[in-house]
Amino acid sequence: MERIIGLLHSHGEKGSRIDVAVTIMDEDSSPDVMDFAGRLRNAGLRTEVYLGSSRKLAKQLKWAAERRASFALIYGQQERGGGLVTVRDMDSGEQNHVSIDELASHLKERCAASR
């Protein structure tokens, strides 16, 4: 067990960075965001879903920054109505709207370019 813990600590911050942090804005969006996370993981992207109790975007983006996420997904009522997902670049703060069908390929391309 001690060897495993030592290996985990030896990776430092570099090993803890994730590709995509998925926010959950309301209960209605939960099934959709879990589906997004599954699609992104299947595409080979390190993806985590916010599981905290707060629905405040600022708190969830702070969590994404703490996880050192490259991108955060925002899927609220406006996005849901338009069939889009907001993709926020956590380094630059730039946000783009991406269709749900193109989400995995878009993020895979962006993550590959940033590595």
Side-chain angles (χ1 to χ4, degrees), residues 3-65:
R3 291 181 196 161
I4 293 172
I5 293 171
L7 286 173
L8 290 173
H9 290 293
S10 70
H11 288 294
E13 288 186 27
K14 196 172 194 177
S16 66
R17 183 156 196 173
I18 62 172
D19 294 317
V20 184
V22 183
T23 65
I24 297 182
M25 303 310 299
D26 55 48
E27 293 298 320
D28 294 338
S29 67
S30 295
D32 292 331
V33 297
M34 292 302 186
D35 180 59
F36 301 157
R39 289 184 198 189
L40 297 174
R41 289 179 185 127
N42 287 338
L45 299 172
R46 294 172 304 236
T47 304
E48 291 185 19
V49 177
Y50 179 78
L51 299 175
S53 61
S54 177
R55 296 294 181 232
K56 294 181 180 179
L57 182 58
K59 184 164 181 113
Q60 293 187 50
L61 291 176
K62 181 180 177 190
W63 163 80

Side-chain angles (χ1 to χ4, degrees), residues 39-95:
R39 289 184 198 189
L40 297 174
R41 289 179 185 127
N42 287 338
L45 299 172
R46 294 172 304 236
T47 304
E48 291 185 19
V49 177
Y50 179 78
L51 299 175
S53 61
S54 177
R55 296 294 181 232
K56 294 181 180 179
L57 182 58
K59 184 164 181 113
Q60 293 187 50
L61 291 176
K62 181 180 177 190
W63 163 80
E66 289 169 356
R67 295 296 299 129
R68 300 181 60 233
S70 298
F71 299 94
L73 298 187
I74 303 166
Y75 187 67
Q77 290 178 346
Q78 286 182 322
E79 289 86 0
R80 193 168 43 248
L84 301 171
V85 178
T86 299
V87 176
R88 180 184 177 101
D89 183 317
M90 292 299 292
D91 294 328
S92 70
E94 175 187 334
Q95 293 186 167

